[in-house]
Amino acid sequence: MKYFSTRGGDEELSFEEVVLAGLAPDGGLYIPAEIPKLPENWENDWSKLSYQDLAVAILSLFISPSEISREEITQLVYSTYAYPQKFRDPLITPLVSLSEKLYILELFHGPTYAFKDLALQLVGNLFEFFLRRRNMRKAPRERAERLTVLGATSGDTGSAAIYGLRNKANISIFILFPRGRVSEIQEAQMTTVMDENVHNVRVAGTFDDCQDIVKTLFSDKEFNERHSLAAVNSINWARILVQIVYYFSAYFQLKNSLASTGTTINPDVQFVVPTGNFGDVLAGYYAKRMMLPMRKLGIATNANDILTRFWETGRYAKIDPSTGLGVKETLSPAMDITVSSNFERLLWYLAYQTSSPGDPTRRVTACKTVSRWMEAVKKEGEMVVPDEVLQAAREDFVAKKADDEQGSPSYIPDPHTAVGLHVADSFARTENVEPVVQVVLATAHPAKFSAAVNQALGTADGFDFDRDVLPDDFRDFLARERRVIDVVPPRCGAPSDYH
């Protein structure tokens, strides 16, 4: 399996090269040269597999055995998803029934209580694997190769990346996060890690400011090569690949659950995904393209609804034309974005799908189209796709937004998952003509967002946050020693209390 850039198309790279590079030198994102087909008897053969063995089966479809053998993939996967050493539930991503037609896929049972652990624990092990292998091939006196991992976070990516890479040899990690725009627990999870290879950078600005800094550094070829930059944001292909696994896991858990009640037909399932940078739902798109049975993927956005507006109009615009505003601060900060980084990957497939099938340069033509669209977003703040591209997007996705919503003590979600639940209910009432089983992806433990959960449920009878929500692991976080570097981007003025 080879990979190429969404803005290039000519040069093909190995899995190792794209994992270590993260962002392509031309500013594009790496995608596989082809989407692999599932084995002929996959539904029977995979139905009883553990999460670990399911991950091995799926990753092996995207990674050439000449790069990483199946035995090596198995070792990496079992080291990553060790129960109970790394993950707190033996199913890794357990499916929880809320009703006959509504389920929650809990993705927060890793070390930092967020879905990012599922990818970043493995990405950290992949970085270590590739670096160790490269250094073993060097002459005895030759200088060891190092990696500088660079990422921007709106909360959960940073802590998950840090926990995946802390104390790893020859790897340094720098995480940028926006000052005052992550929860107290999220900031504490990052800044209380004292390993010498971990560096937190608190930026006076928004998440988009942090992301722009990261993209600028990766696009600087000389700087990139000098410091051997690697990415942990969802722009890294390995993160998307690993997230495909839990869609299959959810499908089999749901099918086995229904079978236990005497239902033998395949479930008619719709996945509803709280969406910011588009990586989580994009993994579902790859699963769908691999022919995992599902309805249209449901995109759930908060008030920062650039994606919902795109699916309504075909216009991808940083500024909401109805309000004239950019990023709005909400109770679900990981979704407070104006540009969805991974959306470019879907745009490539839409450009390819709607181009001429007989064009021998079809792949490169799609790359040029994506380059033109993304340049328009960068320079003009928006771009508009042709009607046929919008219709192609609507074949696989539906999208709706939710403002900050009240929750229910019957199931206490984090604010991002609450957005997903609200939008799922809207889809069930307005979009799904026939009865459909919905699976909402729960992206974080509610304890990571104490202010939002208390605002929603603080007045509910019998609710006690410390008793009902707070894990023991979180009880002393805020009192621990911290280490962080404060910076002000050139275009941002320092806040009045900044020092």
Side-chain angles (χ1 to χ4, degrees), residues 241-275:
L241 170 58
V242 173
Q243 290 172 190
I244 295 171
V245 177
Y246 49 71
Y247 284 89
F248 282 85
S249 175
Y251 176 80
F252 287 121
Q253 287 184 65
L254 180 59
K255 188 176 179 180
N256 292 336
S257 174
L258 294 176
S260 69
T261 65
T263 303
T264 56
I265 61 173
N266 287 339
D268 194 4
V269 61
Q270 178 188 45
F271 291 97
V272 180
V273 189
T275 305

PDB file of all heavy atoms in Angstrom, residues 241-275:
ATOM      1  N   LEU A 241      -6.495   6.019  10.278  1.00  0.00           N
ATOM      2  CA  LEU A 241      -6.489   4.571  10.076  1.00  0.00           C
ATOM      3  C   LEU A 241      -6.918   3.828  11.333  1.00  0.00           C
ATOM      4  O   LEU A 241      -7.780   2.942  11.293  1.00  0.00           O
ATOM      5  CB  LEU A 241      -5.083   4.124   9.649  1.00  0.00           C
ATOM      6  CG  LEU A 241      -4.816   2.619   9.611  1.00  0.00           C
ATOM      7  CD1 LEU A 241      -5.785   1.909   8.686  1.00  0.00           C
ATOM      8  CD2 LEU A 241      -3.374   2.350   9.189  1.00  0.00           C
ATOM      9  N   VAL A 242      -6.333   4.196  12.470  1.00  0.00           N
ATOM     10  CA  VAL A 242      -6.630   3.484  13.714  1.00  0.00           C
ATOM     11  C   VAL A 242      -8.090   3.660  14.119  1.00  0.00           C
ATOM     12  O   VAL A 242      -8.704   2.748  14.671  1.00  0.00           O
ATOM     13  CB  VAL A 242      -5.678   3.979  14.827  1.00  0.00           C
ATOM     14  CG1 VAL A 242      -6.059   3.388  16.165  1.00  0.00           C
ATOM     15  CG2 VAL A 242      -4.227   3.617  14.483  1.00  0.00           C
ATOM     16  N   GLN A 243      -8.670   4.828  13.820  1.00  0.00           N
ATOM     17  CA  GLN A 243     -10.046   5.094  14.212  1.00  0.00           C
ATOM     18  C   GLN A 243     -11.057   4.308  13.390  1.00  0.00           C
ATOM     19  O   GLN A 243     -12.213   4.159  13.803  1.00  0.00           O
ATOM     20  CB  GLN A 243     -10.317   6.599  14.138  1.00  0.00           C
ATOM     21  CG  GLN A 243      -9.580   7.375  15.216  1.00  0.00           C
ATOM     22  CD  GLN A 243      -9.658   8.888  15.068  1.00  0.00           C
ATOM     23  OE1 GLN A 243      -8.973   9.614  15.748  1.00  0.00           O
ATOM     24  NE2 GLN A 243     -10.492   9.377  14.170  1.00  0.00           N
ATOM     25  N   ILE A 244     -10.673   3.798  12.244  1.00  0.00           N
ATOM     26  CA  ILE A 244     -11.585   2.962  11.446  1.00  0.00           C
ATOM     27  C   ILE A 244     -12.012   1.737  12.247  1.00  0.00           C
ATOM     28  O   ILE A 244     -13.143   1.260  12.136  1.00  0.00           O
ATOM     29  CB  ILE A 244     -10.890   2.527  10.131  1.00  0.00           C
ATOM     30  CG1 ILE A 244     -10.596   3.742   9.247  1.00  0.00           C
ATOM     31  CG2 ILE A 244     -11.750   1.516   9.370  1.00  0.00           C
ATOM     32  CD1 ILE A 244      -9.729   3.416   8.036  1.00  0.00           C
ATOM     33  N   VAL A 245     -11.116   1.265  13.108  1.00  0.00           N
ATOM     34  CA  VAL A 245     -11.336  -0.005  13.808  1.00  0.00           C
ATOM     35  C   VAL A 245     -12.601   0.033  14.647  1.00  0.00           C
ATOM     36  O   VAL A 245     -13.396  -0.918  14.657  1.00  0.00           O
ATOM     37  CB  VAL A 245     -10.116  -0.365  14.687  1.00  0.00           C
ATOM     38  CG1 VAL A 245     -10.376  -1.659  15.465  1.00  0.00           C
ATOM     39  CG2 VAL A 245      -8.859  -0.490  13.832  1.00  0.00           C
ATOM     40  N   TYR A 246     -12.842   1.136  15.372  1.00  0.00           N
ATOM     41  CA  TYR A 246     -13.967   1.088  16.300  1.00  0.00           C
ATOM     42  C   TYR A 246     -15.328   1.174  15.619  1.00  0.00           C
ATOM     43  O   TYR A 246     -16.340   0.857  16.227  1.00  0.00           O
ATOM     44  CB  TYR A 246     -13.834   2.078  17.453  1.00  0.00           C
ATOM     45  CG  TYR A 246     -13.494   3.518  17.179  1.00  0.00           C
ATOM     46  CD1 TYR A 246     -14.398   4.384  16.581  1.00  0.00           C
ATOM     47  CD2 TYR A 246     -12.272   4.036  17.611  1.00  0.00           C
ATOM     48  CE1 TYR A 246     -14.094   5.719  16.402  1.00  0.00           C
ATOM     49  CE2 TYR A 246     -11.960   5.374  17.452  1.00  0.00           C
ATOM     50  CZ  TYR A 246     -12.871   6.218  16.836  1.00  0.00           C
ATOM     51  OH  TYR A 246     -12.575   7.536  16.679  1.00  0.00           O
ATOM     52  N   TYR A 247     -15.376   1.563  14.360  1.00  0.00           N
ATOM     53  CA  TYR A 247     -16.643   1.458  13.633  1.00  0.00           C
ATOM     54  C   TYR A 247     -16.993  -0.018  13.397  1.00  0.00           C
ATOM     55  O   TYR A 247     -18.150  -0.428  13.554  1.00  0.00           O
ATOM     56  CB  TYR A 247     -16.559   2.201  12.305  1.00  0.00           C
ATOM     57  CG  TYR A 247     -16.655   3.701  12.446  1.00  0.00           C
ATOM     58  CD1 TYR A 247     -15.514   4.481  12.643  1.00  0.00           C
ATOM     59  CD2 TYR A 247     -17.884   4.346  12.396  1.00  0.00           C
ATOM     60  CE1 TYR A 247     -15.600   5.858  12.789  1.00  0.00           C
ATOM     61  CE2 TYR A 247     -17.980   5.726  12.533  1.00  0.00           C
ATOM     62  CZ  TYR A 247     -16.832   6.474  12.730  1.00  0.00           C
ATOM     63  OH  TYR A 247     -16.929   7.836  12.882  1.00  0.00           O
ATOM     64  N   PHE A 248     -16.000  -0.804  13.031  1.00  0.00           N
ATOM     65  CA  PHE A 248     -16.229  -2.241  12.862  1.00  0.00           C
ATOM     66  C   PHE A 248     -16.564  -2.891  14.205  1.00  0.00           C
ATOM     67  O   PHE A 248     -17.464  -3.731  14.291  1.00  0.00           O
ATOM     68  CB  PHE A 248     -14.990  -2.900  12.246  1.00  0.00           C
ATOM     69  CG  PHE A 248     -14.861  -2.696  10.763  1.00  0.00           C
ATOM     70  CD1 PHE A 248     -14.267  -1.552  10.256  1.00  0.00           C
ATOM     71  CD2 PHE A 248     -15.347  -3.644   9.869  1.00  0.00           C
ATOM     72  CE1 PHE A 248     -14.151  -1.356   8.887  1.00  0.00           C
ATOM     73  CE2 PHE A 248     -15.236  -3.465   8.496  1.00  0.00           C
ATOM     74  CZ  PHE A 248     -14.631  -2.313   8.000  1.00  0.00           C
ATOM     75  N   SER A 249     -15.848  -2.501  15.249  1.00  0.00           N
ATOM     76  CA  SER A 249     -16.121  -3.053  16.572  1.00  0.00           C
ATOM     77  C   SER A 249     -17.558  -2.766  16.996  1.00  0.00           C
ATOM     78  O   SER A 249     -18.263  -3.642  17.512  1.00  0.00           O
ATOM     79  CB  SER A 249     -15.140  -2.471  17.594  1.00  0.00           C
ATOM     80  OG  SER A 249     -15.449  -2.910  18.897  1.00  0.00           O
ATOM     81  N   ALA A 250     -18.010  -1.530  16.784  1.00  0.00           N
ATOM     82  CA  ALA A 250     -19.381  -1.163  17.147  1.00  0.00           C
ATOM     83  C   ALA A 250     -20.393  -1.989  16.366  1.00  0.00           C
ATOM     84  O   ALA A 250     -21.412  -2.443  16.910  1.00  0.00           O
ATOM     85  CB  ALA A 250     -19.606   0.324  16.890  1.00  0.00           C
ATOM     86  N   TYR A 251     -20.121  -2.177  15.074  1.00  0.00           N
ATOM     87  CA  TYR A 251     -21.035  -2.957  14.237  1.00  0.00           C
ATOM     88  C   TYR A 251     -21.177  -4.380  14.768  1.00  0.00           C
ATOM     89  O   TYR A 251     -22.297  -4.899  14.905  1.00  0.00           O
ATOM     90  CB  TYR A 251     -20.514  -2.968  12.792  1.00  0.00           C
ATOM     91  CG  TYR A 251     -21.336  -3.835  11.860  1.00  0.00           C
ATOM     92  CD1 TYR A 251     -22.536  -3.366  11.330  1.00  0.00           C
ATOM     93  CD2 TYR A 251     -20.911  -5.108  11.511  1.00  0.00           C
ATOM     94  CE1 TYR A 251     -23.287  -4.159  10.469  1.00  0.00           C
ATOM     95  CE2 TYR A 251     -21.661  -5.907  10.655  1.00  0.00           C
ATOM     96  CZ  TYR A 251     -22.842  -5.428  10.135  1.00  0.00           C
ATOM     97  OH  TYR A 251     -23.595  -6.223   9.287  1.00  0.00           O
ATOM     98  N   PHE A 252     -20.068  -5.006  15.094  1.00  0.00           N
ATOM     99  CA  PHE A 252     -20.127  -6.384  15.587  1.00  0.00           C
ATOM    100  C   PHE A 252     -20.748  -6.457  16.980  1.00  0.00           C
ATOM    101  O   PHE A 252     -21.518  -7.385  17.274  1.00  0.00           O
ATOM    102  CB  PHE A 252     -18.738  -7.016  15.582  1.00  0.00           C
ATOM    103  CG  PHE A 252     -18.238  -7.365  14.213  1.00  0.00           C
ATOM    104  CD1 PHE A 252     -17.056  -6.831  13.718  1.00  0.00           C
ATOM    105  CD2 PHE A 252     -18.955  -8.232  13.395  1.00  0.00           C
ATOM    106  CE1 PHE A 252     -16.594  -7.146  12.453  1.00  0.00           C
ATOM    107  CE2 PHE A 252     -18.507  -8.563  12.123  1.00  0.00           C
ATOM    108  CZ  PHE A 252     -17.327  -8.005  11.650  1.00  0.00           C
ATOM    109  N   GLN A 253     -20.438  -5.491  17.838  1.00  0.00           N
ATOM    110  CA  GLN A 253     -21.071  -5.479  19.160  1.00  0.00           C
ATOM    111  C   GLN A 253     -22.584  -5.340  19.033  1.00  0.00           C
ATOM    112  O   GLN A 253     -23.347  -6.020  19.738  1.00  0.00           O
ATOM    113  CB  GLN A 253     -20.521  -4.327  20.011  1.00  0.00           C
ATOM    114  CG  GLN A 253     -19.098  -4.527  20.517  1.00  0.00           C
ATOM    115  CD  GLN A 253     -18.681  -3.389  21.437  1.00  0.00           C
ATOM    116  OE1 GLN A 253     -19.244  -3.223  22.514  1.00  0.00           O
ATOM    117  NE2 GLN A 253     -17.708  -2.609  21.014  1.00  0.00           N
ATOM    118  N   LEU A 254     -23.021  -4.455  18.135  1.00  0.00           N
ATOM    119  CA  LEU A 254     -24.453  -4.247  17.934  1.00  0.00           C
ATOM    120  C   LEU A 254     -25.109  -5.493  17.356  1.00  0.00           C
ATOM    121  O   LEU A 254     -26.173  -5.934  17.817  1.00  0.00           O
ATOM    122  CB  LEU A 254     -24.670  -3.050  17.007  1.00  0.00           C
ATOM    123  CG  LEU A 254     -26.128  -2.684  16.692  1.00  0.00           C
ATOM    124  CD1 LEU A 254     -26.887  -2.372  17.972  1.00  0.00           C
ATOM    125  CD2 LEU A 254     -26.173  -1.500  15.730  1.00  0.00           C
ATOM    126  N   LYS A 255     -24.463  -6.082  16.376  1.00  0.00           N
ATOM    127  CA  LYS A 255     -25.012  -7.286  15.752  1.00  0.00           C
ATOM    128  C   LYS A 255     -25.102  -8.432  16.755  1.00  0.00           C
ATOM    129  O   LYS A 255     -26.116  -9.144  16.817  1.00  0.00           O
ATOM    130  CB  LYS A 255     -24.132  -7.681  14.563  1.00  0.00           C
ATOM    131  CG  LYS A 255     -24.703  -8.813  13.714  1.00  0.00           C
ATOM    132  CD  LYS A 255     -23.831  -9.074  12.495  1.00  0.00           C
ATOM    133  CE  LYS A 255     -24.409 -10.231  11.674  1.00  0.00           C
ATOM    134  NZ  LYS A 255     -23.596 -10.520  10.488  1.00  0.00           N
ATOM    135  N   ASN A 256     -24.073  -8.606  17.572  1.00  0.00           N
ATOM    136  CA  ASN A 256     -24.090  -9.676  18.568  1.00  0.00           C
ATOM    137  C   ASN A 256     -25.129  -9.404  19.654  1.00  0.00           C
ATOM    138  O   ASN A 256     -25.777 -10.326  20.163  1.00  0.00           O
ATOM    139  CB  ASN A 256     -22.701  -9.831  19.192  1.00  0.00           C
ATOM    140  CG  ASN A 256     -21.667 -10.356  18.200  1.00  0.00           C
ATOM    141  OD1 ASN A 256     -22.021 -11.019  17.220  1.00  0.00           O
ATOM    142  ND2 ASN A 256     -20.403 -10.069  18.429  1.00  0.00           N
ATOM    143  N   SER A 257     -25.302  -8.120  19.994  1.00  0.00           N
ATOM    144  CA  SER A 257     -26.310  -7.763  20.990  1.00  0.00           C
ATOM    145  C   SER A 257     -27.706  -8.069  20.481  1.00  0.00           C
ATOM    146  O   SER A 257     -28.549  -8.631  21.208  1.00  0.00           O
ATOM    147  CB  SER A 257     -26.195  -6.271  21.345  1.00  0.00           C
ATOM    148  OG  SER A 257     -27.236  -5.869  22.205  1.00  0.00           O
ATOM    149  N   LEU A 258     -27.975  -7.735  19.235  1.00  0.00           N
ATOM    150  CA  LEU A 258     -29.292  -8.005  18.659  1.00  0.00           C
ATOM    151  C   LEU A 258     -29.518  -9.506  18.511  1.00  0.00           C
ATOM    152  O   LEU A 258     -30.640 -10.003  18.703  1.00  0.00           O
ATOM    153  CB  LEU A 258     -29.428  -7.305  17.303  1.00  0.00           C
ATOM    154  CG  LEU A 258     -29.434  -5.770  17.337  1.00  0.00           C
ATOM    155  CD1 LEU A 258     -29.472  -5.205  15.928  1.00  0.00           C
ATOM    156  CD2 LEU A 258     -30.624  -5.253  18.143  1.00  0.00           C
ATOM    157  N   ALA A 259     -28.457 -10.242  18.181  1.00  0.00           N
ATOM    158  CA  ALA A 259     -28.579 -11.693  18.038  1.00  0.00           C
ATOM    159  C   ALA A 259     -28.979 -12.348  19.357  1.00  0.00           C
ATOM    160  O   ALA A 259     -29.707 -13.343  19.381  1.00  0.00           O
ATOM    161  CB  ALA A 259     -27.271 -12.281  17.516  1.00  0.00           C
ATOM    162  N   SER A 260     -28.500 -11.784  20.466  1.00  0.00           N
ATOM    163  CA  SER A 260     -28.839 -12.346  21.775  1.00  0.00           C
ATOM    164  C   SER A 260     -30.314 -12.195  22.104  1.00  0.00           C
ATOM    165  O   SER A 260     -30.840 -12.880  22.978  1.00  0.00           O
ATOM    166  CB  SER A 260     -27.995 -11.677  22.862  1.00  0.00           C
ATOM    167  OG  SER A 260     -28.372 -10.326  23.027  1.00  0.00           O
ATOM    168  N   THR A 261     -31.001 -11.287  21.390  1.00  0.00           N
ATOM    169  CA  THR A 261     -32.444 -11.102  21.600  1.00  0.00           C
ATOM    170  C   THR A 261     -33.264 -11.815  20.538  1.00  0.00           C
ATOM    171  O   THR A 261     -34.482 -11.649  20.486  1.00  0.00           O
ATOM    172  CB  THR A 261     -32.797  -9.601  21.577  1.00  0.00           C
ATOM    173  OG1 THR A 261     -32.540  -9.068  20.265  1.00  0.00           O
ATOM    174  CG2 THR A 261     -31.979  -8.838  22.604  1.00  0.00           C
ATOM    175  N   GLY A 262     -32.580 -12.581  19.670  1.00  0.00           N
ATOM    176  CA  GLY A 262     -33.279 -13.330  18.641  1.00  0.00           C
ATOM    177  C   GLY A 262     -33.333 -12.649  17.292  1.00  0.00           C
ATOM    178  O   GLY A 262     -33.897 -13.190  16.339  1.00  0.00           O
ATOM    179  N   THR A 263     -32.720 -11.463  17.172  1.00  0.00           N
ATOM    180  CA  THR A 263     -32.692 -10.751  15.895  1.00  0.00           C
ATOM    181  C   THR A 263     -31.471 -11.193  15.105  1.00  0.00           C
ATOM    182  O   THR A 263     -30.337 -10.997  15.542  1.00  0.00           O
ATOM    183  CB  THR A 263     -32.635  -9.224  16.119  1.00  0.00           C
ATOM    184  OG1 THR A 263     -33.746  -8.838  16.916  1.00  0.00           O
ATOM    185  CG2 THR A 263     -32.661  -8.481  14.797  1.00  0.00           C
ATOM    186  N   THR A 264     -31.694 -11.785  13.948  1.00  0.00           N
ATOM    187  CA  THR A 264     -30.578 -12.330  13.175  1.00  0.00           C
ATOM    188  C   THR A 264     -30.231 -11.488  11.949  1.00  0.00           C
ATOM    189  O   THR A 264     -29.220 -11.727  11.310  1.00  0.00           O
ATOM    190  CB  THR A 264     -30.911 -13.757  12.705  1.00  0.00           C
ATOM    191  OG1 THR A 264     -32.133 -13.726  11.954  1.00  0.00           O
ATOM    192  CG2 THR A 264     -31.075 -14.682  13.896  1.00  0.00           C
ATOM    193  N   ILE A 265     -31.072 -10.500  11.602  1.00  0.00           N
ATOM    194  CA  ILE A 265     -30.772  -9.669  10.436  1.00  0.00           C
ATOM    195  C   ILE A 265     -29.702  -8.643  10.792  1.00  0.00           C
ATOM    196  O   ILE A 265     -29.531  -8.275  11.956  1.00  0.00           O
ATOM    197  CB  ILE A 265     -32.034  -8.958   9.909  1.00  0.00           C
ATOM    198  CG1 ILE A 265     -32.623  -8.035  10.995  1.00  0.00           C
ATOM    199  CG2 ILE A 265     -33.065  -9.964   9.460  1.00  0.00           C
ATOM    200  CD1 ILE A 265     -33.760  -7.169  10.495  1.00  0.00           C
ATOM    201  N   ASN A 266     -29.002  -8.171   9.766  1.00  0.00           N
ATOM    202  CA  ASN A 266     -27.972  -7.162  10.007  1.00  0.00           C
ATOM    203  C   ASN A 266     -28.623  -5.862  10.458  1.00  0.00           C
ATOM    204  O   ASN A 266     -29.671  -5.463   9.937  1.00  0.00           O
ATOM    205  CB  ASN A 266     -27.159  -6.906   8.728  1.00  0.00           C
ATOM    206  CG  ASN A 266     -26.232  -8.053   8.413  1.00  0.00           C
ATOM    207  OD1 ASN A 266     -25.899  -8.841   9.287  1.00  0.00           O
ATOM    208  ND2 ASN A 266     -25.808  -8.149   7.161  1.00  0.00           N
ATOM    209  N   PRO A 267     -28.030  -5.174  11.413  1.00  0.00           N
ATOM    210  CA  PRO A 267     -28.619  -3.930  11.895  1.00  0.00           C
ATOM    211  C   PRO A 267     -28.550  -2.828  10.847  1.00  0.00           C
ATOM    212  O   PRO A 267     -27.573  -2.718  10.103  1.00  0.00           O
ATOM    213  CB  PRO A 267     -27.756  -3.584  13.111  1.00  0.00           C
ATOM    214  CG  PRO A 267     -26.449  -4.270  12.869  1.00  0.00           C
ATOM    215  CD  PRO A 267     -26.783  -5.524  12.111  1.00  0.00           C
ATOM    216  N   ASP A 268     -29.618  -2.030  10.766  1.00  0.00           N
ATOM    217  CA  ASP A 268     -29.638  -0.852   9.906  1.00  0.00           C
ATOM    218  C   ASP A 268     -29.149   0.308  10.762  1.00  0.00           C
ATOM    219  O   ASP A 268     -29.907   0.886  11.539  1.00  0.00           O
ATOM    220  CB  ASP A 268     -31.068  -0.608   9.408  1.00  0.00           C
ATOM    221  CG  ASP A 268     -31.121   0.366   8.250  1.00  0.00           C
ATOM    222  OD1 ASP A 268     -30.042   0.789   7.796  1.00  0.00           O
ATOM    223  OD2 ASP A 268     -32.221   0.705   7.803  1.00  0.00           O
ATOM    224  N   VAL A 269     -27.867   0.647  10.655  1.00  0.00           N
ATOM    225  CA  VAL A 269     -27.222   1.515  11.637  1.00  0.00           C
ATOM    226  C   VAL A 269     -26.812   2.846  11.036  1.00  0.00           C
ATOM    227  O   VAL A 269     -26.363   2.919   9.884  1.00  0.00           O
ATOM    228  CB  VAL A 269     -26.000   0.807  12.278  1.00  0.00           C
ATOM    229  CG1 VAL A 269     -24.959   0.455  11.219  1.00  0.00           C
ATOM    230  CG2 VAL A 269     -25.378   1.652  13.372  1.00  0.00           C
ATOM    231  N   GLN A 270     -26.996   3.884  11.820  1.00  0.00           N
ATOM    232  CA  GLN A 270     -26.479   5.210  11.486  1.00  0.00           C
ATOM    233  C   GLN A 270     -25.520   5.651  12.595  1.00  0.00           C
ATOM    234  O   GLN A 270     -25.906   5.699  13.759  1.00  0.00           O
ATOM    235  CB  GLN A 270     -27.606   6.244  11.366  1.00  0.00           C
ATOM    236  CG  GLN A 270     -27.084   7.649  11.070  1.00  0.00           C
ATOM    237  CD  GLN A 270     -28.161   8.714  11.145  1.00  0.00           C
ATOM    238  OE1 GLN A 270     -28.974   8.746  12.066  1.00  0.00           O
ATOM    239  NE2 GLN A 270     -28.184   9.589  10.146  1.00  0.00           N
ATOM    240  N   PHE A 271     -24.294   5.946  12.223  1.00  0.00           N
ATOM    241  CA  PHE A 271     -23.331   6.496  13.173  1.00  0.00           C
ATOM    242  C   PHE A 271     -23.475   8.014  13.192  1.00  0.00           C
ATOM    243  O   PHE A 271     -23.495   8.658  12.137  1.00  0.00           O
ATOM    244  CB  PHE A 271     -21.901   6.118  12.786  1.00  0.00           C
ATOM    245  CG  PHE A 271     -21.594   4.663  12.945  1.00  0.00           C
ATOM    246  CD1 PHE A 271     -21.667   3.790  11.867  1.00  0.00           C
ATOM    247  CD2 PHE A 271     -21.233   4.145  14.185  1.00  0.00           C
ATOM    248  CE1 PHE A 271     -21.383   2.440  12.013  1.00  0.00           C
ATOM    249  CE2 PHE A 271     -20.946   2.797  14.346  1.00  0.00           C
ATOM    250  CZ  PHE A 271     -21.026   1.942  13.255  1.00  0.00           C
ATOM    251  N   VAL A 272     -23.594   8.580  14.387  1.00  0.00           N
ATOM    252  CA  VAL A 272     -23.677  10.035  14.549  1.00  0.00           C
ATOM    253  C   VAL A 272     -22.441  10.482  15.317  1.00  0.00           C
ATOM    254  O   VAL A 272     -22.166   9.976  16.413  1.00  0.00           O
ATOM    255  CB  VAL A 272     -24.958  10.446  15.300  1.00  0.00           C
ATOM    256  CG1 VAL A 272     -25.018  11.965  15.455  1.00  0.00           C
ATOM    257  CG2 VAL A 272     -26.197   9.937  14.550  1.00  0.00           C
ATOM    258  N   VAL A 273     -21.698  11.431  14.727  1.00  0.00           N
ATOM    259  CA  VAL A 273     -20.360  11.743  15.230  1.00  0.00           C
ATOM    260  C   VAL A 273     -20.229  13.227  15.552  1.00  0.00           C
ATOM    261  O   VAL A 273     -20.339  14.072  14.656  1.00  0.00           O
ATOM    262  CB  VAL A 273     -19.286  11.356  14.182  1.00  0.00           C
ATOM    263  CG1 VAL A 273     -17.896  11.483  14.786  1.00  0.00           C
ATOM    264  CG2 VAL A 273     -19.527   9.949  13.650  1.00  0.00           C
ATOM    265  N   PRO A 274     -19.997  13.577  16.826  1.00  0.00           N
ATOM    266  CA  PRO A 274     -19.653  14.972  17.151  1.00  0.00           C
ATOM    267  C   PRO A 274     -18.384  15.353  16.394  1.00  0.00           C
ATOM    268  O   PRO A 274     -17.379  14.648  16.477  1.00  0.00           O
ATOM    269  CB  PRO A 274     -19.415  14.942  18.666  1.00  0.00           C
ATOM    270  CG  PRO A 274     -20.052  13.685  19.147  1.00  0.00           C
ATOM    271  CD  PRO A 274     -19.964  12.714  18.016  1.00  0.00           C
ATOM    272  N   THR A 275     -18.432  16.459  15.665  1.00  0.00           N
ATOM    273  CA  THR A 275     -17.392  16.694  14.675  1.00  0.00           C
ATOM    274  C   THR A 275     -16.809  18.103  14.769  1.00  0.00           C
ATOM    275  O   THR A 275     -17.547  19.082  14.811  1.00  0.00           O
ATOM    276  CB  THR A 275     -17.955  16.488  13.244  1.00  0.00           C
ATOM    277  OG1 THR A 275     -18.533  15.183  13.170  1.00  0.00           O
ATOM    278  CG2 THR A 275     -16.871  16.589  12.208  1.00  0.00           C
TER     279      THR A 275
END
